[in-house]
Amino acid sequence: MAIKTFDGTKIPTTADGGAALAAFLREMRADSHFWQDEVTGAYHVLGYAQTRGILHDPTHFSSDFSHLVPESTEPGLRDHVNLGTIDPPKHRKYRSLVNQAFTPKVIAGMESRMAAVTDRLLGALDGLDEFDLVTNFASPLPAIVTAELLGVPAEDHSLFRTWAQVATGGAFDNPIGELNEVTVPDSVSETFNQMREYLLEVAKERRKDPRNDLISRMIAAEIDGERLSDAEVYGLAASILIGGQVSTTVLLGNALVALGERPDAERDLRADPSLIPGFLDETLRYYPPVVFAYRLAKNGAELDGTPVTDGTPVISWVMSANRDEATFPHSETFDLRRDPNPHLSFGHGIHYCLGAPVLRMESRIAVAKLLERYATIECRNVDYHETPGVLGVRSIDLVVGRA
């Protein structure tokens, strides 16, 4: 398919739950898998195979935007490490070290504690027939679980939630493709500085007194004779602290919306809870928390045989790829039994989401407990995030009836 052009200012937001954006992308995808924004010059990729190929190719499509973000003297921002925005070979070092600490055995050992935290949060809502899912459950659950995984006090989860909200709530707002216009508000700098001070203190304590937690394991991990410095431990722990909260919160909100819109799906899950993992994967496909992935062209990258100038933004639309009819038959139908379901909502290649197993387990337990505790669940007053690139509820009221 040839590369076509369009006016990127006309891209719909996700404020309506993504319906308008999905329709827009479907219409564009029918004409071409590759488009170029007339306003910014950025390229947009819409097909599944094409998006998957770009996410799998860090040699030609870089995740490192550090040279475009204003340099900061703030230590919290300077030392923050985001595995999703680092290229090889540096990425290999960090990922390998974290993998040593983030093993399947560690994750499996978290299941009973996740269930206990879930029960406690839902137990605190006894007597209520209506509550905001996000504030009372979907946000504190991953905050507590992630805190315990890292080895920081779970009683500080409200502080962690605040940090995550400030760090991701549109703080790096910019038009799609205009990466050179990124700004960092003072509130975000201060948030990262607070996290840095807090997590550096925890890292120093763990070097003296290691415990059975992720920060202690990151400190002990070694590759090619190298270990992480305290600043690097902070940077990776901050990424896990923020990412671990936001992803689960958004997925749980989207899952309840999916159930609210599809009573037949809720009936199926109640009748057969073993369908919950597939239901969650279909939720991720249909309502991807992150609707596009940024990359920068480098080393003579090409799209559909067309050379792309080094440094040009390439926006891979995960939402569009997840609904590409060539890969997902009846792609506009929400099918909780869809198999296979190779969605790209966790990314692909070296940047595949490190916390995907935790997110899946956490969400599976949460949905199962909600359906077990409440005989009826009705969604009201759904309010969506307006952060560019994010599809997820900011708040949603559940009206429930006890089982």
Side-chain angles (χ1 to χ4, degrees):
M1 291 185 178
I3 295 177
K4 297 189 175 184
T5 59
F6 78 114
D7 182 352
T9 63
K10 300 185 183 302
I11 298 176
T13 70
T14 56
D16 68 344
L21 178 59
F24 173 83
L25 294 172
R26 181 171 63 250
E27 183 177 345
M28 292 183 67
R29 189 172 61 247
D31 287 341
S32 179
H33 289 150
F34 301 99
W35 291 79
Q36 186 173 26
D37 184 346
E38 298 169 344
V39 178
T40 66
Y43 287 89
H44 294 250
V45 183
L46 302 175
Y48 179 88
Q50 295 76 17
T51 295
R52 188 175 184 272
I54 287 170
L55 298 181
H56 193 68
D57 184 8
T59 300
H60 296 104
F61 299 97
S62 170
S63 300
D64 185 358
F65 321 120
S66 57
H67 63 289
L68 296 175
V69 179
E71 290 188 12
S72 175
T73 57
E74 297 294 336
L77 284 170
R78 187 185 64 237
D79 294 340
H80 182 240
V81 176
N82 185 341
L83 282 171
T85 57
I86 301 175
D87 287 341
K90 191 175 182 180
H91 178 273
R92 174 182 170 274
K93 169 192 172 183
Y94 286 130
R95 183 82 184 215
S96 298
L97 286 168
V98 174
N99 281 344
Q100 291 182 37
F102 216 79
T103 64
K105 181 179 179 180
V106 169
I107 295 169
M110 297 170 61
E111 184 162 5
S112 61
R113 181 55 185 156
M114 285 183 187
V117 172
T118 302
D119 283 333
R120 178 164 63 82
L121 289 172
L122 291 177
L125 301 173
D126 282 350
L128 297 179
D129 57 11
E130 184 173 351
F131 57 87
D132 177 10
L133 173 79
V134 175
T135 300
N136 293 283
F137 182 67
S139 182
L141 172 63
I144 294 169
V145 170
T146 305
E148 293 190 354
L149 172 67
L150 286 168
V152 296
E155 59 266 24
D156 288 341
H157 71 84
S158 60
L159 180 61
F160 309 146
R161 289 165 60 192
T162 299
W163 287 341
Q165 288 164 2
V166 173
T168 60
F172 298 93
D173 194 357
N174 61 282
I176 294 174
E178 303 247 359
L179 292 177
N180 59 333
E181 295 187 8
V182 171
T183 58
V184 182
D186 292 341
S187 60
V188 175
S189 298
E190 179 57 29
T191 291
F192 278 100
N193 284 340
Q194 291 173 9
M195 275 194 293
R196 184 178 187 274
E197 292 178 10
Y198 184 103
L199 292 170
L200 279 178
E201 188 61 33
V202 174
K204 290 176 183 177
E205 291 176 0
R206 294 301 183 272
R207 286 194 188 277
K208 297 177 183 176
D209 182 21
R211 301 182 188 178
N212 185 27
D213 57 46
L214 187 56
I215 288 181
S216 295
R217 287 189 286 272
M218 283 197 292
I219 288 171
E222 181 177 329
I223 184 169
D224 297 333
E226 291 187 46
R227 293 189 176 185
L228 295 171
S229 67
D230 284 352
E232 289 172 318
V233 170
Y234 147 70
L236 290 168
S239 290
I240 293 169
L241 194 63
I242 294 170
Q245 293 177 73
V246 174
S247 298
T248 299
T249 300
V250 170
L251 174 55
L252 284 177
N254 289 346
L256 268 293
V257 169
L259 287 182
E261 293 177 345
R262 300 169 181 84
D264 56 332
E266 182 180 339
R267 286 194 298 270
D268 287 348
L269 294 189
R270 290 185 183 279
D272 184 1
S274 70
L275 295 173
I276 291 176
F279 160 73
L280 290 169
D281 266 317
E282 183 68 346
T283 300
L284 285 162
R285 182 192 74 86
Y286 203 85
Y287 306 100
V290 178
V291 300
F292 58 74
Y294 271 122
R295 294 292 187 268
L296 294 176
K298 67 174 183 178
N299 297 333
E302 293 186 355
L303 292 175
D304 197 29
T306 299
V308 181
T309 303
D310 286 4
T312 301
V314 177
I315 296 142
S316 296
W317 284 91
V318 172
M319 173 178 264
S320 179
N322 281 355
R323 299 198 189 191
D324 187 341
E325 297 79 1
T327 301
F328 301 96
H330 310 291
S331 64
E332 295 301 325
T333 299
F334 186 100
D335 180 3
L336 61 83
R337 293 179 174 82
R338 187 179 295 276
D339 184 26
N341 192 349
H343 64 78
L344 298 175
S345 296
F346 286 135
H348 181 68
I350 66 169
H351 291 300
Y352 186 83
C353 178
L354 177 71
V358 175
L359 190 155
R360 281 194 164 105
M361 180 188 293
E362 200 170 39
S363 302
R364 170 178 56 78
I365 292 169
V367 171
K369 295 283 187 181
L370 283 165
L371 294 175
E372 178 184 307
R373 182 173 290 258
Y374 301 116
T376 59
I377 300 175
E378 179 186 348
C379 300
R380 293 181 182 174
N381 305 320
V382 181
D383 181 36
Y384 286 91
H385 285 286
E386 297 180 1
T387 304
V390 174
L391 172 56
V393 298
R394 181 163 43 194
S395 62
I396 175 174
D397 294 334
L398 297 190
V399 179
V400 298
R402 290 296 302 239

